[in-house]
Amino acid sequence: MKTPVRVAITGAAGQISYSLIFRVAAGDMLGKDQPVILQLLEIPPAMEALQGVVMELNDCAFPLVHGIITSDDPNVAFKDADFALLVGSRPRGPGMERSDLLKANGAIFTVQGKALNDNASKDVKVLVVGNPANTNCLIAMKNAPDLNPRNFTAMMRLDHNRSMSQIATKTDSHSTKVEKMVVWGNHSATQFPDIANATVDGAPVKDAVDNDWYVNEFIPTVQQRGAAIIKARGASSAASAASAAIDHMRDWALGSDGRWVSMGVFSKGNSYSIDEDLIYALPITCENGEWKEVTGLEIGEFQQKMMNATEEELKGEKEAVIDLI
Ligand SMILES: NC(=O)c1ccc[n+]([C@@H]2O[C@H](COP(=O)([O-])OP(=O)(O)OC[C@H]3O[C@@H](n4cnc5c(N)ncnc54)[C@H](O)[C@@H]3O)[C@@H](O)[C@H]2O)c1
Ligand SMILES: O=C(O)C[C@H](O)C(=O)O
């Protein structure tokens, strides 16, 4: 039996966590042979609801769960954490953009960045899910000067998975047959789901779909999918967001087997001339617990325009929270 690892999850009584925690506990994230100690963070008004979640976790009698800690203090929840999934923050409602949440949520990530810096394992792998995820991740990273910036990532995997699913449906194939999809930039309406290198059943996607569908249907559908779910469900995506978080962390920890994934990462040293002080989604492969940028892709005029637009938005978000970083 492996030694248990510590998995901290914030917003643990919320919608996403209600799916996420149970999947982590079942071994979907780190493997069926990896015991976990769950370290669950909430704010004081939600601690009672969190106790209900813990009762349900206990009632599952998960073989891999070797301890459950609950707290409203990030210094306790992040103590020696090997993995930290920062979910806790307000979701947007109808008619809002994710960046409208910066004022409400940004400050959460200064406190949590400091607490990670002071308490977590030096190798902690951090995934920011709470919106606006990229800029919240930048805030947390900047408030954790003793941790390697490479430890901080933002979730773009939901956008990546949404793209693969849309392509599979359009080409009458299956999402597992779609490879080399890239979603660049911000988890927002400016994100750029790019099919230039993507293949389906080994053949170029761009030969299988027409450009009009790509530009006028596919890209806006992926960009607006979060808003479409809010409109339909009356609440933001939760189970699919949890599933994407599981995919992101699993691949980072256990490897992506050469498959490309999209992750929001610190842009310093990137090979696509993107501003070097952002959390920007790039094409990534993961191996031996490390992520690596896919380099050397040719960038055409349309791609450059789309990549610049999402970069500009991220620069604007950063300016809006400059006092927090
Ligand atoms: N990056 C993505 O792809 C993606 C996808 C879906 C949702 N999200 C975002 O994830 C966040 C959570 O969504 P949800 O549906 O679970 O929301 P929710 O409102 O159901 O749950 C959020 C939980 O966070 C808790 N919380 C608030 N402040 C906290 C703090 N300082 N410390 C710890 N916990 C705190 C709340 O008490 C609540 O229980 C939202 O910001 C949402 O927009 C991101
Ligand atoms: O759209 C939202 O606000 C929730 C989430 O970021 C999503 O993409 O579903």
Side-chain angles (χ1 to χ4, degrees):
M1 197 52 142
K2 291 182 176 172
T3 309
V5 293
R6 295 177 181 272
V7 181
I9 299 178
T10 75
Q15 291 282 322
I16 294 175
S17 291
Y18 195 61
S19 171
L20 176 64
I21 298 172
F22 292 83
R23 292 197 54 193
V24 173
D28 289 355
M29 186 170 94
L30 298 173
K32 301 287 180 191
D33 60 346
Q34 177 59 67
V36 292
I37 297 170
L38 298 169
Q39 307 196 156
L40 308 177
L41 181 71
E42 257 300 346
I43 49 173
M47 288 309 282
E48 193 181 339
L50 181 57
Q51 283 320 311
V53 175
V54 172
M55 285 157 73
E56 286 207 64
L57 277 169
N58 288 333
D59 293 351
C60 293
F62 284 117
L64 291 173
V65 174
H66 280 224
I68 302 175
I69 293 163
T70 61
S71 182
D72 58 11
D73 179 353
N75 294 303
V76 174
F78 294 149
K79 187 81 193 142
D80 298 326
D82 301 294
F83 298 88
L85 294 98
L86 309 190
V87 180
S89 50
R90 242 183 75 185
R92 64 174 166 158
M96 291 171 78
E97 286 301 330
R98 297 180 188 89
S99 55
D100 295 335
L101 296 167
L102 261 186
K103 282 275 170 290
N105 290 340
I108 294 174
F109 294 86
T110 58
V111 175
Q112 295 188 358
K114 285 191 187 84
L116 283 164
N117 188 69
D118 296 347
N119 297 282
S121 157
K122 289 292 168 237
D123 296 323
V124 63
K125 288 181 165 54
V126 181
L127 168 63
V128 177
V129 175
N131 277 321
N134 301 52
T135 299
N136 287 339
C137 182
L138 186 74
I139 296 170
M141 186 194 87
K142 294 282 184 184
N143 281 276
D146 302 331
L147 295 177
N148 188 334
R150 290 180 55 85
N151 297 13
F152 288 82
T153 63
M155 194 161 92
M156 297 296 290
R157 188 59 174 267
L158 184 51
D159 312 289
H160 186 96
N161 289 348
R162 285 167 172 166
S163 301
M164 295 205 305
S165 169
Q166 293 292 327
I167 289 169
T169 304
K170 178 70 179 173
T171 58
D172 207 13
S173 184
H174 191 272
S175 55
T176 51
K177 307 284 187 190
V178 180
E179 289 182 64
K180 299 192 173 166
M181 181 66 219
V182 182
V183 185
W184 302 91
N186 197 5
H187 175 63
S188 75
T190 67
Q191 67 181 266
F192 173 37
D194 177 8
I195 63 163
N197 300 281
T199 59
V200 58
D201 296 305
V205 170
K206 57 181 187 310
D207 294 347
V209 301
D210 62 74
N211 199 52
D212 183 56
W213 176 80
Y214 173 44
V215 174
N216 296 317
E217 281 191 49
F218 171 77
I219 293 177
T221 298
V222 176
Q223 288 176 329
Q224 294 297 336
R225 188 67 161 187
I229 288 169
I230 290 170
K231 187 160 175 275
R233 228 173 73 81
S236 72
S237 64
S240 58
S243 197
I246 294 277
D247 288 347
H248 176 117
M249 282 304 215
R250 183 200 56 230
D251 286 349
W252 191 4
L254 304 179
S256 69
D257 284 334
R259 279 176 305 113
W260 295 11
V261 294
S262 304
M263 287 169 64
V265 295
F266 188 40
S267 55
K268 193 172 175 61
N270 77 82
S271 53
Y272 297 100
S273 306
I274 292 152
D275 183 287
E276 298 218 335
D277 199 31
L278 299 173
I279 298 288
Y280 187 101
L282 297 171
I284 298 288
T285 56
C286 302
E287 205 178 335
N288 299 325
E290 299 282 343
W291 59 261
K292 197 169 82 190
E293 179 191 351
V294 176
T295 57
L297 301 181
E298 265 180 48
I299 304 296
E301 203 179 314
F302 175 72
Q303 290 166 293
Q304 195 63 61
K305 191 179 98 201
M306 298 295 284
M307 287 164 69
N308 290 350
T310 193
E311 176 185 354
E312 284 309 310
E313 182 184 44
L314 280 169
K315 286 197 214 162
E317 287 186 17
K318 178 178 155 187
E319 279 314 304
V321 296
I322 206 76
D323 52 323
L324 302 180
I325 62 181

